[in-house]
Amino acid sequence: MATRNIPVLLLVCLRLSGIALLCILWEVLPRSGLVNPTFFPPLSAVLQEIAALLRDQHLLGHTIATLWRVVAGIGLAALVAVPAGAILGYWLPGLAAGLNPLFRILAQVNPFSLMTVFLLFFGIGEKAKLIIVAWVAFWPLLHHVIVGVQNIDADLLKTARSMGTSPSRLFLQIILPGAAPSILLGVRTSIILLLAILVAGEMLGGLAGLGWLLHWSSNYYSSPYATTPIFAVGLCISLIGVALSAVLRKLERDLFFWKPLESAWSASPAPQTPRRRPNRIFAVTVLSAMLLLLVAGGASTSWLSKTNGSFSGEGDVPSPSASGHSGHMSHEHSLPAAGQSGHSGHTAPTASPVQSGHP
Amino acid sequence: MNVLTKLSNRYAAVIAFLVLWEVSARFEWVDPQFIPPLTKVLQYIGEQAATGALAHHLLISLGRAAGGLAIALIAGVPLGIALAGWPYMIRIALGPVLEWLSHINPFVVFHIIIVFIGAGEPTKVSIIAWACIWPIMFSTLSGMIHADADTVKAARSFGLSRLRLTTKVLLPLAFPSILTGTRLAAGYALLFLIAAEMMGSTSGLGFMIYTAQANYQIVQMFSGVLIIAVLAIVLDGIMSAAGKRLVHPAIK
């Protein structure tokens, strides 16, 4: 399969054409009635719902809450996994080999089944959730760190050691940069799983976040299309996933410029554009965005959690006394609420903080 | 005896961990109410196995996981093959679409399917199938595309038909990659199975754990954790054994 030279513009158009076609189909099929629009709303209705959620349900706040948990969880996992992996991979390779079966078993331990243990040890709320996320991220990360450390050029390590490099400098200046590509790969592979788990965790015992919103919206059927809120939140979750993996891939491309690019979508190795030095601008931007997210996002998340999904603690989460059975009066687009009486959603803002999805 | 020493060498760390679990709970280094000793958990598993309740949950869960995985395999592998065979341009156009679809959370799919067909067995199986199909499809595609070019060229020069080229050359070449994807998918299957069963079910291991959690039956919960971990390892072991047996010796 030979290398093809496709103009960049055509390539971009091609890449967008698939998405465009999907969007058009999504809009046209429900409108034409080929797909039941009550269950499968057209794209425009979903976008409207997203706008409504942004306005009334702090969609942005929930998105930040979820993102914050992802970043904090990965950060927490990396904080432990990177030094541990470096020590195991370089200084204690025998122990690493011996522990490998145990690591593989622990990685298989289902985080959902341990939820209660986490809750018992770390209490209800943010800490337990973070530990769960970190648990999920930790094992693949540790694996990748160990593999990355063991794949560092042995001559380089020998040279450094023969020059009497101190262990701390060895770690900081050789092992860490050497294993960095593998570490980033570990982050990239675990982040998608992480997001899925996190959403499920937020659904099971949620205080805020997109999983909570999804759980909430599955109880709340907006008119004119029943499932629009589910689609809206689902779209947001999937877009976060796409964005996260795109950012990580760009980081990989920018920082590790010597690595060959490979893609499942091209038969031939990707075009070797001259890449001579790492482009750090994007990386610095991402890092500062992460820091901002950790500080500001953490604060906003804890606030959102405290008030059970709304910043003000009243208003948008319909309270039984205010809006009765019809529920969602705050949504301007909501049509007569006939037949919705059973779905008044989370009606009590101060009710039990754990909303179980179980009947 | 030789096998036994080999196994004990290999799993020394696991055995040490289990012993540590037992000892630390017995001597109350950790609160045994939070982490009960291993023997107690095993005893509970034995009791439940005797009544048959465990087999009931286990079989139901296994059936769901196997069903979802089977659907994912039956749909995912041909899809991957088809994608690899389609023209380059179409692949480029489809890439972002499939990537986007692959990021759709299984639980979102779960909610949508509930609306369509109601909560039931197919809903639980389809969430697993959705989670599993992506790694299987992508690994099939990547295995087919990155198949050794010289071998493919040689096969072509012998004038193999497209069908025979796919079944006799490309698929065996892609098999290790497909197997890796399936292994990943099997892990996902168990993970999402438990979550799905916890969210709305009246049977299965996830339900068992969920009720245990709700009632603070920590021993029961740990028995579920243990069973699932063992299940995952057995599944992984089967996959890796199958890999050793089934991969064509020429590409090992």
Side-chain angles (χ1 to χ4, degrees), chain B residues 102-232:
Chain B
S102 75
H103 279 108
I104 293 179
N105 193 290
F107 299 105
V108 176
V109 179
F110 184 66
H111 280 301
I112 293 170
I113 294 176
I114 279 187
V115 176
F116 267 98
I117 57 178
E121 251 0 83
T123 320
K124 267 159 236 139
V125 173
S126 58
I127 185 178
I128 298 164
W130 179 268
C132 293
I133 195 167
W134 301 106
I136 290 176
M137 195 177 89
F138 287 143
S139 66
T140 309
L141 173 69
S142 141
M144 302 274 286
I145 282 175
H146 297 296
D148 182 34
D150 288 338
T151 316
V152 176
K153 252 186 220 159
R156 276 222 179 116
S157 71
F158 279 118
L160 255 67
S161 68
R162 218 181 149 92
L163 182 70
R164 279 179 68 96
L165 184 75
T166 305
T167 54
K168 297 274 174 189
V169 179
L170 281 173
L171 260 185
L173 281 175
F175 187 74
S177 171
I178 297 174
L179 205 70
T180 314
T182 312
R183 245 170 113 162
L184 197 64
Y188 284 8
L190 278 181
L191 195 64
F192 288 109
L193 170 79
I194 301 304
E197 284 179 346
M198 284 171 98
M199 271 173 208
S201 178
T202 49
S203 56
L205 289 173
F207 170 74
M208 198 180 109
I209 292 174
Y210 185 85
T211 42
Q213 289 182 350
N215 302 324
Y216 283 93
Q217 297 288 326
I218 303 293
V219 177
Q220 187 186 346
M221 195 196 77
F222 269 97
S223 72
V225 174
L226 203 63
I227 290 168
I228 293 164
V230 170
L231 210 62

Side-chain angles (χ1 to χ4, degrees), chain A residues 17-258:
Chain A
S17 68
I19 293 281
L21 189 69
L22 193 73
C23 289
I24 292 169
L25 277 180
W26 189 355
E27 182 64 37
V28 168
L29 280 182
R31 288 220 182 274
S32 69
L34 282 174
V35 181
N36 188 344
T38 326
F39 294 157
F40 203 98
L43 180 60
S44 54
V46 174
L47 291 179
Q48 267 169 26
E49 182 66 35
I50 288 183
L53 285 176
L54 272 173
R55 202 173 52 234
D56 305 329
Q57 282 301 328
H58 308 300
L59 178 63
L60 209 62
H62 290 294
T63 310
I64 287 174
T66 298
L67 262 179
W68 179 74
R69 284 176 192 136
V70 169
V71 170
I74 281 263
L76 209 62
L79 223 57
V80 184
V82 171
I87 290 169
L88 281 174
Y90 181 64
W91 282 283
L92 303 165
L95 188 62
L99 285 176
N100 190 36
L102 180 63
F103 287 163
R104 284 191 30 203
I105 290 171
L106 286 178
Q108 296 283 3
V109 170
N110 199 301
F112 295 115
S113 51
L114 280 181
M115 200 98 80
T116 303
V117 179
F118 288 130
L119 289 179
L120 283 174
F121 275 101
F122 304 105
I124 238 171
E126 214 53 51
K127 223 197 294 173
K129 210 161 288 152
L130 272 187
I131 300 280
I132 293 172
V133 173
W135 170 275
V136 175
F138 179 76
W139 300 109
L141 207 56
L142 184 68
H143 171 79
H144 275 95
V145 176
I146 292 178
V147 169
V149 169
Q150 287 179 340
N151 283 342
I152 297 174
D153 185 14
D155 289 338
L156 186 69
L157 284 168
K158 256 187 222 158
T159 315
R161 282 232 299 209
S162 72
M163 289 177 175
T165 318
S166 68
S168 62
R169 279 194 66 174
L170 197 69
F171 173 71
L172 283 177
Q173 297 195 336
I174 294 176
I175 292 179
L176 211 53
S182 183
I183 295 172
L184 197 63
L185 186 69
V187 170
R188 197 151 72 82
T189 46
S190 58
I191 210 160
I192 300 308
L193 185 63
L194 199 68
L195 196 61
I197 301 256
L198 182 61
V199 167
E202 286 172 350
M203 284 167 71
L204 279 168
L207 297 167
L210 286 174
W212 182 89
L213 202 60
L214 181 69
H215 180 69
W216 176 84
S217 58
S218 70
N219 290 340
Y220 141 66
Y221 295 94
S222 122
S223 35
Y225 305 110
T227 54
T228 326
I230 302 178
F231 274 89
V233 180
L235 186 63
C236 292
I237 295 172
S238 68
L239 286 181
I240 287 191
V242 172
L244 277 178
S245 65
V247 165
L248 285 171
R249 224 167 324 162
K250 179 153 171 55
L251 273 183
E252 214 170 343
R253 258 197 330 262
D254 282 355
L255 293 179
F256 312 125
F257 56 99
W258 64 90

